[in-house]
Every structure is written in structure tokens, then in C-alpha cells.
Amino acid sequence: MNVVEYMHTLGQQARLASRKLASAGTDIKNRALLAIATDIRAHAELLKQENARDLKSGQEKGLDAALLDRLTLTDARIESMAEGLEQIAALADPVGEVSDMTYRPSGIQLGKMRVPLGVVGIIYESRPNVTADAAALCLKSGNATILRGGSEAIHSNQAIAACIKRGLNLVGLPETVIQVVETTDRDAVGALITMSQYVDVIVPRGGKGLIERISQDARVPVIKHLDGICHVYIDKGADLDMAETIAINAKCHRYGVCNAMETLLVAADEANAILPRLAVKYAEEGVELRGCERTLQILTDINKATAEDWDTEYLAPILSIKIVDDIDEAIAHINRHSSGHTESIITQDYQRSRQFLAEVDSSSVMVNASTRFADGFEYGLGAEIGISTDKIHARGPVGLEGLTSQKWIVLGSGQIRK
Amino acid sequence: MNVVEYMHTLGQQARLASRKLASAGTDIKNRALLAIATDIRAHAELLKQENARDLKSGQEKGLDAALLDRLTLTDARIESMAEGLEQIAALADPVGEVSDMTYRPSGIQLGKMRVPLGVVGIIYESRPNVTADAAALCLKSGNATILRGGSEAIHSNQAIAACIKRGLNLVGLPETVIQVVETTDRDAVGALITMSQYVDVIVPRGGKGLIERISQDARVPVIKHLDGICHVYIDKGADLDMAETIAINAKCHRYGVCNAMETLLVAADEANAILPRLAVKYAEEGVELRGCERTLQILTDINKATAEDWDTEYLAPILSIKIVDDIDEAIAHINRHSSGHTESIITQDYQRSRQFLAEVDSSSVMVNASTRFADGFEYGLGAEIGISTDKIHARGPVGLEGLTSQKWIVLGSGQIRK
């Protein structure tokens, strides 16, 4: 069997399993999640042994330190995987939820029922814990999953897959509900993202390069975001203490995350008062500043931002700063340069807060809060499979509900169309 | 300027116009719709003259009678276009609706705001009234539109486009909010469905061939359905009078529509009682029956259904009939052969009604009602841009709400992530 045939077999099995899982009750799904958690804890030593094989060959291949760190399974990370499964078991089940029930003039009763998407394909890079996290979210939302991890984590992922299989077996769900691809052949990805007869949606998790390649070639819809170029705009008349606190948190809380601020916009009226204060704080945090022409007149010792800076996700302690005349210029800059992820205005003005909320075209838009809140846990989704900047279907943090769709249901008592 | 450059210009203009339209108030959008309706009524004679040019060249080209009929603009059809615009003006505006506002433990207040998709590309065939209908739905939902009608309707569509432009001008909205493609060059379609930087979603309206071609080549998401292979299942113990009434209505109310029944499934226990009754009625209506082996033992003078029949949308007075042992066999048949559009069970059994609703994986699932109800007007959506059998985003009849997405909004009072 070649790799394409192998992937089609996985696809057929997933499609069949998804039908069974779609009508599985909440109880059996939760018992499976808890059984997998128990099995992961019971096999912690084995997981670390298999992980050590991946780390050894990763070191031999000369993988960089950051990648090796993401690849490493420690006792704490294994415990965290098990806890994650338990947390997802504790969340409400979105499947079968009926909303908007209403009677129509014809006498039929109409509503919408939430249903799984079907089969979800997950493509991810080094972190083996994604195997358990993503599988658990899909299982709880009633979706069969095909997981394709990075080749550098193959032994770790297969060891986690074995825990998942034992957990599913224990409660009597088919093993094919969650399938971890066993080959490291790159053609497996090509097959996965084009077999739309078996796969309903692809969720890529990894760097921008991976996601761009997948989006380009996929025939199956992709839930994704490429970049997190997030903005904070300090409005005329903003509370400057609040502005300082949020601007520091949005940039410095964590640098390598998609909801960190990359560009700070400041109303010209506040620039003289706030920029020197911020420059001191950013210097303390070791953040490099790059300013527009007007910014350089206030912060004279920083670098000039180039055109490229406004379109760059640094994922690093670097921040671009631009002074704008007013909120209209701020919104225009955001709608042109933002990646549509998350933007925040710091303001005390009611009308301008409404304008910002209405006119900024991003998946999360905030008033007087740090962009770092754009996150499935903070939004109460319990967990997230990813963040979507697409407008079709789920947008922003995607949790259990984002992994479902709705169908219309009609309850009649014999009505016919006249 | 070649056709691709021309389409990119339309795309850029639409993207810019969509930003303006997204923040336009309900009042100005409604006034534009009413102004267009008035202009269409005022120019009824001109519309008929331009339409006559299309009909003349259509006759010269030898277009078939059905196509010429769909192409024809009569006084009644022009009035119906104007009324359609007024009805859409009377519908509630979905844009800006905020739902699910809730406080999170961090103190931020979180909700979802409904927003337009951006730019919608409509590709349609002969019926010129689609120009006004589709443009109106997109305008009300805050989306800029690029409309690409059939070459056989070019003069009619341009005349309607002129009415639309005058209406937009009168209220002060940019003309580029609704653009009707002025060339009949086929490359215009290829450009429209691939320029994802300018177009957010494509809605094809027409035959299966058109929609398949577009889905195959599009890089922009497509809201669509290919087939309407709809099923009615008459359950064991069904009210046979109700079953007869619904089975006749679902097939015979209109033959050429996507929500007509194409296959009737009958529980073996009821087959002897209901099939001869139905055969008499279908004969009166001139419907050709094609049965499975077991059906032929009861209705001895009908044709045998081939494997192909179970996967065919007849759009004609033809019906395939299959006897099944029980609801499980009926659901298995539906989930294998249905196009995911609409299915209905006729039953008096509570448990089996719930099973059918839960396990049938189609965009509309009904109990004791005719499949013909699967329609935007009947569902109270006011009007529909199409019916979607995709699970990602809108599913089933797609009206104003289906032309929008949501963004998350966060209202803080200075919260930062800890």
C-alpha cells in the first residue's frame, strides 16, 4: 500500500467512525477522555522513553534549542496533558444543542441543531502535547480526527496514540475515531489536505510557512491564521496610567505569541506625554523601539521604522510606534496593516469607543484591555484548537463550538407547501 | 486594459466600497433599496426594450424555450423585482447585532458582533432578476457586490445595473458598492473566483455544471449546493393519510426545484398499505415510478430502479422508491445517497423522530412536513441568496444572516493579562 492509499484508508475509516461518534452520548465521550488521561499518567515513564528517542535523533540532526525544548516531554508536561483532557471532559457538550426554535405561519416549528463538522485533519509541528489536546477537543465536539505530527516527534506521538487507543477501547468507542498518521512521508500531508470526500476541515498548527503551504494546496477548508500583527491605539484623552499598563502588558507579557502587540499607535495629542514614559519602561524590559518620523522627534535615540515594519509580526522584543492625527487615521492604518487578529483602543471617549468597535475589521476588537486576552481560555471556550482570522465560519479563538456546525430542524404535524 | 486588469480594478473598488458600506447605517441602506425599486418601476419600458435585444439574439442563437422563458422580463416580473427590494428593505438589519455578552473572571466583558463578510461575488445564468435580488441582499447585509450574469442577459443586466447606480447615487452611497461586470469575456469569471485579496466569498447561482466548474477552480470560499437529492421516509406506524399528502406535495408541488423529493423510502411494514395508494396518485400527476426489487413485488407494472437512480436528482416527474426494513436502513441509505440538502420522516413514534433528527446529516431535517419547506421565505429569512450544503459557515437557506460573520468584542476597564 503506498502512502496515498494508506491516507485514503485512514480517511474512509474516519468518515465511518465520525458517523458513530456524531450520535455518541456526552457520557461515553467524557469517559473516553478520562480513560485516556488515566492511561497517559500510567504510561508517563514510557512516554518519556519514547520522547528520549526523538530528542536523541533531533540532537543528531542538529535541531535548534527552541525546537528541542518544544519537543521535550517532562513530568510536568505529561501531567498537564492529562489535566487538559480532564478539563475538556468537564466542559459542556455543544453537540445537539437546539436554538432559535420558533413557529412559522405555515405551522411548522423551526430551529437549529448544533452538529459536528465530521472529520477534522490536524497538521502540527514539534509539540507532542498537541496530539492529546487536539484529539480531545475533536472527540468532545463529536468529530473524528486524523492527526499528522512532525517527523521529529514521531515516537512521542505514537506513544501518545497508543494511550488514546487504549482509552477508546476501554469505553467501547472505535479506535478509528482518533487516528495518528504512522508514516513520516511528506506525501501524507498532500493527501490529507486534498481528500475532501473524507475530511471536512483542516486545522494547521505551526509556523507561518507551514500554514501558507497548506492553505495554498488544500482542497479542504482550512481553519487558520497566518499572522498576529496586533495593534494598540492610545486615543486622545486616554487615561495614561491605563495606557502605559496595557501597552507594556500587550507587548511584554510574552513575546512569541500571536496576540502580542506589534505596533503601537498614539494620538498626536498624547504623544509628548506618553511616549517618554513608555520608552523608559520598554528599555527596562529590553524592548527595541522603531518609530515613525514624528515619533523620532520625541524619542530621538530610537531607530526609524521602515515600510516593512508596519507589516511585520516580530514575535520578539521589538515594537514599531506610529503617531496618528486621530482615530480615523488609526483605524485606516489598522485595516490596512493588521492581520485581522486582535486590536485594542485605550480611550475615555464613548463615541470613539463605539467607532473603533464598529469599524475595525479584526476577529477580536477591544476597548481598554490588553490584546493578550484574545485566547480560548480567557474567552471561556475552555480550550482552543486555534485562532481563525477567516470570516467564513468560526472567527477568533476556536473551541468546541467552533468545531461544530448547525443544521436546521423542522417539526411539523403534516404540513405541506401551498 | 485586459479583462484580468479590469476585474482587479472592480475588485479594488469593491474592497474600498465595502469598508464604507460596513459602517453605513440601516437607514441609508434601506433608502437605497427603495430608491432602486422606484427607479426600476420608472424604467420598466426601457428594461423591456433592452430585454427584447437579449431575447432576439437568444432566439437567433437557438436558445431553448425554457432558457428564453427564464430570460424574459415581463411587467409582472419587473414589479416583482421592485417588490423584492422593498421586502428586503423591510427586513431587520443583521449588521452590528451583539450577542452573548458576558463577564469573564478577569473583569473584561465579552460578546460577539455580527459584521458583513466584505465583498461577495455572484455568478449567475440567464435570469436577469437575480441582478436586483442578489444585489439587494448583499447591500442590506453590508457587503459590496460584484455581479457576473450570463452573456445571454447582458443588455437586461446592464439596464438593471443602471437603475441600481441611479438609486445608489440618489442616497449618496458609492456606485462601486454594487458593480455589474460589463464584459461577457469568460476570463472574467476565472479572475473573480481567484482574486481572494478582493473577494471574500463567491455565490454561484445556476445549474450543477456551472457550480462544479466554479468550485473546482475557486481560491475564494464558495457558498453553494450542487444537488438536491431529497428523501422522504415513511416510518412504521406512520399516519398514512399524512404520508400520502406529504409524499405527493414533496414530489409534485414543483418538479424543477432543489427541495423536491427524488427518492421515497418506505418501511416494509407499511409498504403494502401505502404504495398502491401512492401509485394511483402519482399516475394522476404523470409521475414515472422506479422501484427497488421489493417495491416491484407490490407495484408490478413500474420500472426497476438502477444503482444510478439512488444518486440522481431528476428535477422532473420521476421518483425512485425503496422499501427498507427499518429506520436504521433508511438513515444509512440517506447518509450514503443524499446530497445533504433536506430529508423528512413521516412518523408517529417519538423515539424514532428524535433518532432521525439526530442522525441524519443534512442541512435541513424534518418530521412530518414536506421537504418543499426548505426555503428562505418559508424559514422566515425574508429572502435567500442560495442554499448551502457545506458545513463550514452558513448551512441550509442562506439569507441576510448567512451573508455576515461575527467578530468578538471585548470591553475592559484597564484589564491586563496576568
Side-chain angles (χ1 to χ4, degrees), chain A residues 178-255:
Chain A
I178 301 169
Q179 298 177 98
V180 179
V181 175
E182 289 179 9
T183 169
T184 56
D185 190 325
R186 280 172 172 269
D187 290 343
V189 172
L192 185 59
I193 65 178
T194 51
M195 53 189 201
S196 52
Q197 68 274 45
Y198 304 126
V199 181
D200 295 289
V201 63
I202 293 288
V203 183
R205 303 203 18 176
K208 188 177 172 182
L210 173 81
I211 297 171
E212 271 181 338
R213 279 199 311 280
I214 288 170
S215 305
Q216 191 55 42
D217 298 334
R219 299 301 312 165
V220 177
V222 179
I223 292 179
K224 64 167 190 306
H225 74 274
L226 289 176
D227 276 325
I229 304 180
C230 301
H231 296 74
V232 172
Y233 166 57
I234 299 175
D235 189 31
K236 179 181 172 181
D239 175 328
L240 296 187
D241 291 337
M242 185 194 288
E244 179 183 311
T245 314
I246 290 176
I248 297 298
N249 182 261
K251 183 69 224 176
C252 309
H253 187 252
R254 278 180 72 188
Y255 296 111

Side-chain angles (χ1 to χ4, degrees), chain A residues 378-406:
Chain A
E378 292 293 336
Y379 281 9
L381 311 184
E384 67 181 37
I385 194 88
I387 289 193
S388 170
T389 52
D390 291 330
K391 288 186 192 171
I392 311 293
H393 190 59
R395 197 174 185 207
V398 180
L400 291 180
E401 192 176 287
L403 285 170
T404 63
S405 177
Q406 292 185 305

Side-chain angles (χ1 to χ4, degrees), chain B residues 137-179:
Chain B
L137 275 167
C138 289
L139 179 66
K140 182 71 181 242
S141 56
N143 294 291
T145 330
I146 301 174
L147 294 131
R148 209 304 186 158
S151 57
E152 67 283 1
I154 184 76
H155 297 103
S156 314
N157 288 339
Q158 292 304 326
I160 296 169
C163 300
I164 291 172
K165 277 189 188 172
R166 284 187 294 264
L168 292 169
N169 270 323
L170 196 69
V171 302
L173 279 174
E175 283 183 3
T176 46
V177 156
I178 302 170
Q179 298 178 99

Side-chain angles (χ1 to χ4, degrees), chain B residues 117-129:
Chain B
L117 294 173
V119 177
V120 180
I122 317 266
I123 299 168
Y124 54 110
E125 292 176 328
S126 50
R127 292 170 54 209
N129 59 314

Side-chain angles (χ1 to χ4, degrees), chain A residues 23-33 89 91-95 140:
Chain A
S23 55
T26 306
D27 179 54
I28 192 169
K29 293 189 287 190
N30 287 346
R31 282 190 288 118
L33 291 167
L91 292 173
D93 186 341
V95 175
K140 182 72 182 246

